[in-house]
């Protein structure tokens, strides 16, 4: 059931021309290319299998995981049911503690707000904590166009930024790069190696690479006057913001600069402080496969003498209210960005994150991106799944991703104005299946397909078009010698 | 119309005129446990060591000496003067020669080699120490910039799980949850301890 079906005024989707929610190619076209990249497939296979095992071990040791998961699901559902009230409460609390709240209808408006805030401080560079929301709205590009340099400080984001690449995973954006490739990027781009060039004393050992990043960013942290972050959670009741991280780059950004600007999607609010006791258990175990991530920072407004003395919170819609209007699709807003669904997805593991064309890849991306943009702008994504259900099983807030995928496929099919060969074929099939005489005729005709098979269990993939569109990616079994009905008649009579 | 009014209006449209009642939240998970303190301490130590933190146990009257010895092991013999402590750290916990954080510009704290702070609560199941910006814990930059962090934990501060830990905190305080030294798994998912935060974490557990 879509918003339009209910006769509701349709709510605006994320605008085109800004941000990173749309690919320039369809999923199958982009995936075909990444499937040919052997290095990428090796990197992805290694990374996803490693993290799957870690997640499983730390989830299995929690005896009340099922109860936590159910509570997480219920909290998110309850939050969405009164989202306006929670946002107003959050605004009140943040303001009462010395922060300023800004509202942004879409990516463009959010970028304008952030640029204006940075310019007001008189600086032309900012440090950034890894944030999906700011990637979604294309903040770095907007800042650059305004003459402001944005330095990513998360190690993987730094690798992606220095390599002039794009992220391919929610949690580990440089998962598609291996250590040798990372070393090469650092040697090429970090000023500290410029004089030494390829002779630099930098091996591809992860520890050495991490220390190079530490040295590269240390001075930037100490001189930064403005930081930009996202938020994992925002507590309406108390005005508390939370950023969950590992490296300490987040703490540097959230603590040292004078001004902090936090950009968050409106769905990140949770009603009460107590709700964090659920999510701070669900998120780290699902995400990095740790009992707890090394650092979590929590703050409410401004604390004199400790941390930033100016705090701005930018609340972004950018298509989220359109998602909220869809009663089935709405659950995609429950996502806490752990990325467990990416790591278990057989499609993601082979195609990689770039094939999804959006900053949100994998199963959750396949349901979130088309809803944020309108399904017509990401029409191939609801089909980028085998519907195996592994994503639903691991989701810490029990988002039924397969059901939403099917729902979006239906919405896409219904929106088709031109009749497709597939629609014609299925209409004919429906007619045949509801008319016994036609059905028997069709079965007899299908039996002729045996002639094409030459004794093999499947028909050749190279059927003539338009049938080839179907058989290119699917095996069509050779029709059996006799149908079930024929066999029944033969063995048992009428 | 302001963006605020427009977004709130969109949400009201999306949820419809006749709103469904708010679904119940069943909190069937553990919120307390009856494990004795000795068991909780063992779990805490196990978790912290799993994160590659160093844990030293001592009695209440041995804290200063234990801290000094741990610092020596972490930094080498010569660098006692480089230690900065939280302003409210009890006198009997301070190693000789340590200076107190006097509120100098935060970036100046980077010049110190080590920090000693207290904590406000420690969660055994996840190996998590919580600092709340109080005088005993110090401001956030204090436990961030020096490369070695020593936290003194008393046994009455140790709780079993995350819910019990959060229940003891003030949600309006600047809070830092620390679970082991700074770490990354961004390169081939191989864990490397010590990126931007302190590379060494020492926990002195007072029992």
């Amino acid at each position: 059931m879509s918003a339009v079906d209910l006769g509701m005024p349709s709510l605006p989707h994320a605008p085109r021309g800004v941000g990173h929610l749309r690919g320039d190619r369809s999923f199958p076209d982009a995936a075909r290319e990444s499937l040919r990249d052997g290095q990428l497939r090796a990197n992805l296979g290694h990374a996803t299998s490693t993290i799957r095992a870690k997640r499983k071990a730390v989830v299995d040791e929690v005896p009340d995981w099922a109860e936590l998961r159910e509570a997480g699901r219920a909290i998110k559902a309850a939050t969405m049911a009164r989202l306006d009230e929670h946002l107003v409460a959050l605004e009140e609390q943040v303001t009462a503690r010395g922060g300023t709240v800004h509202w942004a209808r879409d990516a463009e408006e959010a970028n304008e707000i952030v640029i204006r805030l940075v310019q007001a401080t008189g600086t032309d560079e900012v440090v950034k904590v890894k944030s999906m929301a700011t990637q979604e709205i294309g903040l770095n590009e907007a800042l650059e166009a305004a003459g402001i340099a944005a330095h990513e400080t998360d190690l993987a984001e730094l690798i992606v930024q220095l390599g002039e690449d794009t992220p391919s995973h929610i949690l580990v954006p440089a998962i598609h790069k291996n250590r040798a490739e990372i070393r090469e990027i650092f040697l090429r781009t970090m000023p500290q190696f410029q004089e030494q060039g390829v002779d630099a004393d930098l091996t591809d050992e992860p520890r050495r690479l991490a220390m190079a990043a530490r040295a590269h960013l240390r001075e930037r942290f100490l001189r930064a006057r403005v930081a930009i972050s996202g938020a994992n959670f925002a507590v309406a009741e108390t005005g508390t913001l939370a950023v969950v991280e590992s490296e300490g780059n987040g703490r540097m950004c959230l603590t040292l600069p004078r001004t902090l600007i936090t950009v968050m999607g409106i769905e990140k609010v949770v009603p009460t402080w107590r709700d964090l006791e659920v999510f701070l258990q669900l998120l780290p175990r699902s995400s990095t496969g740790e009992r707890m991530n090394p650092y979590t920072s929590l703050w409410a407004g401004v604390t004199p003498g400790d941390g930033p003395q100016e705090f701005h919170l930018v609340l972004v819609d950018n298509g989220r209210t359109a998602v909220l209007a869809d009663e089935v699709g709405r659950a995609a807003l429950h996502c806490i960005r752990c990325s467990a669904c990416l790591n278990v997805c057989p499609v993601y593991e082979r195609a990689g994150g770039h094939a999804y064309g959006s900053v949100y890849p994998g199963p959750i991306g396949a349901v979130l991106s088309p809803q944020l943009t309108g399904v017509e702008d990401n029409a191939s994504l609801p089909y980028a799944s085998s519907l195996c259900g592994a994503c639903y099983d691991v989701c810490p807030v029990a988002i039924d991703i397969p059901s939403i995928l099917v729902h979006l496929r239906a919405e896409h099919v219904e929106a088709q104005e031109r009749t497709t060969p597939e629609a014609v074929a299925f209409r004919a099939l429906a007619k045949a299946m509801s008319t016994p005489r036609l059905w028997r005729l069709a079965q007899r005709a299908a039996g002729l397909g045996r002639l094409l098979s030459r004794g093999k269990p499947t028909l050749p993939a190279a059927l003539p078009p338009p049938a080839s569109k179907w058989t290119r990616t699917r095996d069509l079994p050779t029709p059996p010698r006799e149908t079930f009905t024929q066999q029944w008649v033969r063995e048992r009579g009428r | 119309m302001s963006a605020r009014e427009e977004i709130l209006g969109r949400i009201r449209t999306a949820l419809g005129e006749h709103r469904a009642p708010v679904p119940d939240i069943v909190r069937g998970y553990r919120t307390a446990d009856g494990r004795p303190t000795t068991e909780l301490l063992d779990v805490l130590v196990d978790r912290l060591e799993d994160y590659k933190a160093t844990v030293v146990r001592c009695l209440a009257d041995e804290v200063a000496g234990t801290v000094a010895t741990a610092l020596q092991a972490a930094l080498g013999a010569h660098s006692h003067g480089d230690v900065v402590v939280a302003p409210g750290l009890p006198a009997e916990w301070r190693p000789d020669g340590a200076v107190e954080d006097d509120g100098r510009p935060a970036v100046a704290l980077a010049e110190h080699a080590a920090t000693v702070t207290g904590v406000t609560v420690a969660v055994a199941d996840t190996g998590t120490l919580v600092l709340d910006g109080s005088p005993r814990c110090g401001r956030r930059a204090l436990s961030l910039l020096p490369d070695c962090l020593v936290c003194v934990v008393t046994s009455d501060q140790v709780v079993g799980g995350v819910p019990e830990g959060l229940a003891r905190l003030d949600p309006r305080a600047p809070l830092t949850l620390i679970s082991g030294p700074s770490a990354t798994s961004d390169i081939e998912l191989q864990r490397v301890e010590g990126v931007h935060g302190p590379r060494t974490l020492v926990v002195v557990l007072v029992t």
Side-chain angles (χ1 to χ4, degrees):
Chain A
M1 216 188 307
S2 73
V4 182
D5 292 337
L6 293 169
M8 261 185 219
S10 94
L11 294 163
H13 290 112
R16 292 178 186 153
V18 56
H20 302 287
L21 287 170
R22 296 166 175 85
D24 48 11
R25 288 179 296 174
S26 74
F27 179 84
D29 288 340
R32 207 165 294 126
E33 188 172 301
S34 41
L35 286 172
R36 276 197 291 264
D37 185 341
Q39 181 68 61
L40 173 72
R41 289 188 62 175
N43 295 354
L44 276 172
H46 167 70
T48 51
S49 59
T50 306
I51 200 157
R52 278 200 302 270
K54 283 178 70 183
R55 176 204 163 272
K56 188 177 182 323
V58 295
V59 165
D60 286 351
E61 76 176 25
V62 179
D64 52 350
W65 186 257
E67 287 81 5
L68 284 166
R69 185 171 181 249
E70 167 52 24
R73 186 204 62 75
I75 293 167
K76 285 291 183 178
T79 309
M80 296 309 146
R82 295 291 181 274
L83 187 58
D84 49 346
E85 294 168 17
H86 298 306
L87 289 172
V88 169
L90 175 68
E91 177 185 50
E92 198 180 294
Q93 289 297 317
V94 169
T95 310
R97 297 176 209 300
T100 310
V101 176
H102 310 260
W103 301 70
R105 296 174 183 91
D106 57 31
E108 219 154 310
E109 192 170 17
N111 290 336
E112 281 164 20
I113 292 169
V114 175
I115 289 168
R116 211 177 54 233
L117 290 171
V118 176
Q119 283 170 341
T121 67
T123 187
D124 60 359
E125 65 169 359
V126 299
V127 285
K128 279 192 70 208
V129 192
K130 175 175 156 23
S131 135
M132 296 307 298
T134 62
Q135 278 175 32
E136 174 192 321
I137 63 175
L139 179 62
N140 287 8
E141 291 84 348
L143 288 169
E144 197 186 328
I148 300 162
H151 304 296
E152 290 291 351
T153 62
D154 169 74
L155 178 53
E157 291 284 357
L158 179 70
I159 293 165
V160 167
Q161 188 177 45
L162 294 178
E164 294 179 7
D165 198 351
T166 51
S168 69
H169 191 280
I170 292 175
L171 171 73
V172 270
I175 198 169
H176 57 290
K177 295 280 184 213
N178 66 19
R179 57 182 77 188
E181 294 167 305
I182 294 165
R183 172 179 182 265
E184 195 271 322
I185 291 170
F186 281 10
L187 282 179
R188 190 158 41 83
T189 57
M190 284 185 175
Q192 73 221 60
F193 299 123
Q194 285 319 294
E195 284 179 13
Q196 301 148 284
V198 286
D199 300 327
D201 183 25
L202 181 71
T203 66
D204 65 3
E205 196 211 333
R207 173 168 304 280
R208 296 293 293 275
L209 295 169
M211 290 311 119
R214 178 186 173 100
H216 177 73
L217 288 171
R218 193 76 176 180
E219 191 255 341
R220 289 211 160 94
F221 285 133
L222 297 182
R223 72 164 189 241
R225 287 154 60 191
V226 178
I228 298 174
S229 83
N232 291 96
F233 308 101
V235 181
E237 172 191 48
T238 57
T240 312
L241 277 291
V243 165
V244 171
E245 52 130 357
S246 295
E247 295 169 11
N249 64 305
R251 293 185 65 197
M252 291 280 185
C253 293
L254 300 171
T255 310
L256 297 180
R258 197 186 167 279
T259 303
L260 170 63
I261 304 168
T262 298
V263 180
M264 75 172 229
I266 51 174
E267 82 284 18
K268 292 279 167 189
V269 67
V270 295
T272 68
W273 170 251
R274 227 195 131 180
D275 298 330
L276 291 185
E277 73 189 19
V278 176
F279 296 116
L280 289 181
Q281 294 190 73
L282 291 172
L283 180 55
R285 291 182 197 258
S286 300
S287 184
T288 51
E290 293 166 304
R291 295 185 175 109
M292 189 63 94
N293 50 290
Y295 296 132
T296 298
S297 295
L298 300 140
W299 74 97
V302 168
T303 309
D306 189 344
Q309 295 303 296
E310 198 180 319
F311 172 55
H312 297 276
L313 178 62
V314 184
L315 300 172
V316 185
D317 180 349
N318 206 37
R320 284 162 176 76
T321 46
V323 186
L324 187 69
D326 185 322
E327 283 181 39
V328 177
R330 180 185 293 174
L333 295 177
H334 298 183
C335 173
I336 56 172
R337 312 280 188 261
C338 72
S339 68
C341 65
L342 277 61
N343 303 326
V344 296
C345 178
V347 176
Y348 177 89
E349 183 173 352
R350 286 158 184 83
H354 290 150
Y356 294 80
S358 158
V359 294
Y360 303 112
I364 188 61
V367 293
L368 194 55
S369 310
Q371 293 198 88
L372 289 171
T373 62
V375 77
E376 64 280 5
D377 278 14
N378 269 307
S380 63
L381 288 186
Y383 300 91
S385 164
S386 64
L387 301 178
C388 75
C391 48
Y392 183 23
D393 288 344
V394 297
C395 178
V397 292
I399 302 172
D400 184 355
I401 295 174
S403 292
I404 304 177
L405 285 167
V406 172
H407 168 74
L408 293 176
R409 289 180 188 185
E411 195 173 291
H412 173 238
V413 168
E414 274 165 30
Q416 295 289 308
E417 285 173 7
R418 276 184 38 226
T419 309
T420 61
E422 193 183 14
V424 172
F426 273 101
R427 223 171 291 149
L429 185 64
K431 173 81 182 154
M433 288 179 90
S434 53
T435 319
R437 190 178 53 83
L438 281 180
W439 181 239
R440 276 196 298 276
L441 265 173
Q443 283 183 321
R444 214 168 305 151
L448 294 174
R450 292 180 60 77
L451 298 175
L452 290 169
S453 75
R454 298 181 191 164
K456 299 218 175 80
T458 57
L459 293 177
L463 287 184
S468 61
K469 282 196 131 182
W470 182 270
T471 55
R472 196 172 56 209
T473 50
R474 297 169 182 87
D475 287 333
L476 205 58
T478 298
R481 199 174 297 278
E482 58 182 353
T483 66
F484 175 75
T485 343
Q486 287 165 340
Q487 188 187 343
W488 183 275
V489 170
R490 178 168 55 76
E491 289 180 359
R492 314 203 177 189
R494 273 172 202 274
Chain B
M1 205 191 314
S2 72
R4 179 183 189 275
E5 290 317 308
E6 193 167 332
I7 293 169
L8 291 172
R10 288 176 185 176
I11 294 171
R12 284 162 197 150
T13 305
L15 294 176
E17 240 173 81
H18 306 288
R19 296 187 173 196
V22 179
D24 285 339
I25 299 166
V26 179
R27 295 180 193 264
Y29 52 85
R30 294 171 300 165
T31 50
D33 63 68
R35 284 175 288 178
T37 306
T38 50
E39 193 182 328
L40 294 182
L41 296 181
D42 289 343
V43 174
L44 178 67
V45 172
D46 174 75
R47 302 301 192 246
L48 286 165
E49 287 178 343
D50 189 44
Y51 296 139
K52 307 281 190 313
T54 305
V55 186
V56 203
R57 295 195 195 214
C58 71
L59 297 172
D61 57 358
E62 301 167 345
V63 178
T66 309
V67 168
T69 311
L71 282 168
Q72 216 164 51
L75 303 176
H78 52 84
S79 46
H80 255 208
D82 279 335
V83 178
V84 57
V85 303
L89 196 77
E92 63 274 20
W93 290 4
R94 298 182 182 203
D96 291 340
V99 298
E100 188 176 291
D101 178 17
D102 54 5
R104 69 193 71 187
V107 293
L109 293 167
E111 288 154 23
H112 294 281
T115 300
V116 185
T117 76
V119 309
T120 181
V121 65
V123 179
D125 280 343
T126 58
T128 303
L129 314 175
V130 187
L131 279 61
D132 66 354
S134 62
R136 184 179 281 217
C137 298
R139 55 180 163 158
R140 286 174 285 176
L142 181 65
S143 55
L144 174 64
L145 289 171
D147 204 14
C148 171
L149 171 63
V150 180
C151 287
V152 183
V153 179
T154 57
S155 57
D156 58 314
Q157 294 177 316
V158 182
V159 299
V162 171
E164 296 154 272
L166 293 195
R168 287 200 189 187
L169 299 172
D170 174 5
R172 290 163 188 96
L175 299 167
T176 306
L177 278 57
I178 299 175
S179 307
S182 153
T184 184
S185 300
D186 279 347
I187 301 169
E188 297 183 11
L189 286 169
Q190 188 172 320
R191 188 177 163 106
V192 174
E193 277 83 22
V195 192
H196 301 296
R199 285 181 280 196
T200 308
L201 174 65
V202 180
V203 180
V204 175
L205 193 53
V206 188
T207 51

